Amino acid sequence: MPQRDFYVDRLRTVMTALVILHHTATMYGAIGAWFWREVAPSGSPSSHVLILFCTTNQAYFMGFFFLLAGYFTPASLERKGNARFVGDRLLRLGLPILGFGLILCPLTAGLVTYAQGDGFWPTIAWFWTHRQFNPGPLWFTQALLIFSFAYCAWRAVLGAPLPQVERPPKPVPSGRWWLLSALATGVAALAIRQFVPVGVNIFALQVGYFATYIVLFAVGIAAWRYDWLRQLTWKNAQTGIIALAICWPVLPVAIALAETLNGSGKSNFFTGFSWTAIFYALWEPFVAWGLIALWLLVFRERMNQPSAFWTWLNRRAYSVYIIHPPVLVGIAVLLHGWVAPALVKFGVVGGLAIVATWLAADPLVRLPGIRRVV
């Protein structure tokens, strides 16, 4: 493996751990849908901290996953060809979706209803008898499956031939492109949210966020084609990082202003053409571009050496993403009776869940058959 690839694998691992912490924050006072909620969002300082944490994550971390996935997609398609590529995507993306929807989602919901005194097995039976299917966080693999097939179809019809030997480097786009693409992505997100507000799912997909996801998947493909990750410098990213430094601190100010003007919890950030909705749609990509650039540059400079421990973590990261809901919810339910501040429980439960999920994922990557998928 080329040396520059070590840091990319580690970024995927760190983002996976961040997903676990994101869902942990939702249980203890942040906004968002999750299987178990112990502390409802409120005007408390801890809730504000966790809401800011999750809102910042939402701006970039799933888009970052799509960028990294896009980066590896062209080489995989060209190496395997159309038929094998499609089969591999169905195996590695499609089967986990089925496994989660049929087994892990009912299991996680059963843990919640058991903790609430309504029983464990009746919930699982209800899911199966009522044919309820929820991919949960594997909406990401569902979307990635769609994006991968779309790219495969585009290459087959309009793109370059698969045996693409040459990958001529092109300069990383200028700072003006960073700003214009962020602005265009924000405008596209605002337009989508007029029809599908944030929080509304279509086939388990929050389409309101997909402007960023599509753009970053395409950027990942271009980054592979033109060797942008190797060429990226602090000077290239300067405009995006400055935009991040300006825009990110404005969010808590905007939330406080909205609460002052409209009352707590009464502002609409998710649809329509209110100033809050416009602000949120535009704020996200300007923050995302800068944060993604920072992660890439710091990890390439400091986290690009071989490491047996990181190799162990990286190999299990995909399994961790798949199985983390029942592990996280199980730990939260076990510690439900522990009285502690919300931020303390967030840190303890999140930390325990990260360790426990990686340990639980270890045997999965060793089992014949399953290790081909995860």
Side-chain angles (χ1 to χ4, degrees), residues 155-236:
R155 284 292 298 269
V157 177
L158 298 173
L162 289 185
Q164 184 77 23
V165 178
E166 296 185 2
R167 289 170 51 202
K170 289 188 178 181
V172 175
S174 66
R176 179 182 297 179
W177 182 92
W178 289 57
L179 294 178
L180 290 177
S181 64
L183 178 62
T185 303
V187 170
L190 183 65
I192 292 170
R193 292 171 188 179
Q194 305 313 305
F195 304 95
V196 187
V198 169
V200 174
N201 292 340
I202 297 180
F203 297 110
L205 302 175
Q206 287 214 24
V207 178
Y209 289 118
F210 267 59
T212 295
Y213 300 160
I214 293 170
V215 168
L216 289 176
F217 184 75
V219 168
I221 292 172
W224 179 85
R225 180 69 60 195
Y226 303 127
D227 203 18
W228 285 347
L229 295 193
R230 184 186 62 82
Q231 297 182 74
L232 183 66
T233 65
W234 289 99
K235 184 177 180 180
N236 297 140

Side-chain angles (χ1 to χ4, degrees), residues 12-359:
R12 291 192 292 191
T13 295
V14 171
M15 290 301 114
T16 301
L18 198 57
V19 167
I20 297 175
L21 292 177
H22 183 93
H23 291 147
T24 307
T26 303
M27 297 192 297
Y28 295 108
I31 296 171
W34 188 240
F35 293 92
W36 170 263
R37 183 183 292 281
E38 189 169 318
V39 180
S42 67
S44 67
S46 63
S47 186
H48 276 297
V49 169
L50 294 175
I51 288 171
L52 181 60
F53 172 71
C54 286
T55 304
T56 303
N57 292 341
Q58 183 59 58
Y60 83 96
F61 74 153
M62 297 312 298
F64 200 1
F65 271 122
F66 281 110
L67 185 150
L68 296 176
Y71 181 74
F72 289 105
T73 295
S76 178
L77 175 60
E78 294 180 7
R79 184 175 66 252
K80 297 174 181 177
N82 291 319
R84 187 180 163 203
F85 175 81
V86 169
D88 177 74
R89 296 297 87 186
L90 288 172
L91 179 70
R92 289 189 41 84
L93 300 177
L95 280 184
I97 296 171
L98 292 176
F100 188 91
L102 295 175
I103 300 172
L104 294 182
C105 179
L107 171 63
T108 309
L111 291 172
V112 171
T113 54
Y114 176 79
Q116 295 170 338
D118 295 327
F120 177 74
W121 291 110
T123 298
I124 294 180
W126 182 87
F127 267 84
W128 290 345
T129 56
H130 288 76
R131 299 180 181 179
Q132 296 296 305
F133 187 92
N134 180 0
L138 269 75
W139 68 264
F140 167 72
T141 57
Q142 177 184 338
L144 185 55
L145 195 63
I146 296 170
F147 289 5
S148 298
F149 287 172
Y151 176 71
C152 184
W154 177 82
R155 284 292 298 269
V157 177
L158 298 173
L162 289 185
Q164 184 77 23
V165 178
E166 296 185 2
R167 289 170 51 202
K170 289 188 178 181
V172 175
S174 66
R176 179 182 297 179
W177 182 92
W178 289 57
L179 294 178
L180 290 177
S181 64
L183 178 62
T185 303
V187 170
L190 183 65
I192 292 170
R193 292 171 188 179
Q194 305 313 305
F195 304 95
V196 187
V198 169
V200 174
N201 292 340
I202 297 180
F203 297 110
L205 302 175
Q206 287 214 24
V207 178
Y209 289 118
F210 267 59
T212 295
Y213 300 160
I214 293 170
V215 168
L216 289 176
F217 184 75
V219 168
I221 292 172
W224 179 85
R225 180 69 60 195
Y226 303 127
D227 203 18
W228 285 347
L229 295 193
R230 184 186 62 82
Q231 297 182 74
L232 183 66
T233 65
W234 289 99
K235 184 177 180 180
N236 297 140
Q238 180 179 342
T239 301
I241 294 172
I242 291 173
L244 164 67
I246 294 172
C247 293
W248 185 83
V250 178
L251 178 64
V253 175
I255 293 174
L257 179 61
E259 290 186 349
T260 300
L261 295 175
N262 304 325
S264 181
K266 295 182 180 179
S267 298
N268 184 358
F269 284 84
F270 304 134
T271 189
F273 289 104
S274 65
W275 73 266
T276 49
I278 295 172
F279 166 80
Y280 183 51
L282 295 176
W283 177 87
E284 284 182 311
F286 281 98
V287 168
W289 283 205
L291 276 172
I292 289 172
L294 276 174
W295 278 107
L296 286 169
L297 288 166
V298 170
F299 264 58
R300 194 185 65 192
E301 290 183 2
R302 301 178 181 271
M303 303 290 289
N304 205 25
Q305 300 298 323
S307 164
F309 178 63
W310 274 104
T311 298
W312 186 88
L313 292 175
N314 298 341
R315 178 63 184 88
R316 287 145 186 83
Y318 185 38
S319 298
V320 166
Y321 186 92
I322 296 168
I323 69 171
H324 81 271
V327 177
L328 172 59
V329 170
I331 292 173
V333 166
L334 286 174
L335 295 179
H336 177 54
W338 174 39
V339 179
L343 288 177
V344 173
K345 294 196 79 170
F346 160 73
V348 172
V349 172
L352 288 174
I354 288 171
V355 174
T357 312
W358 250 275
L359 293 176

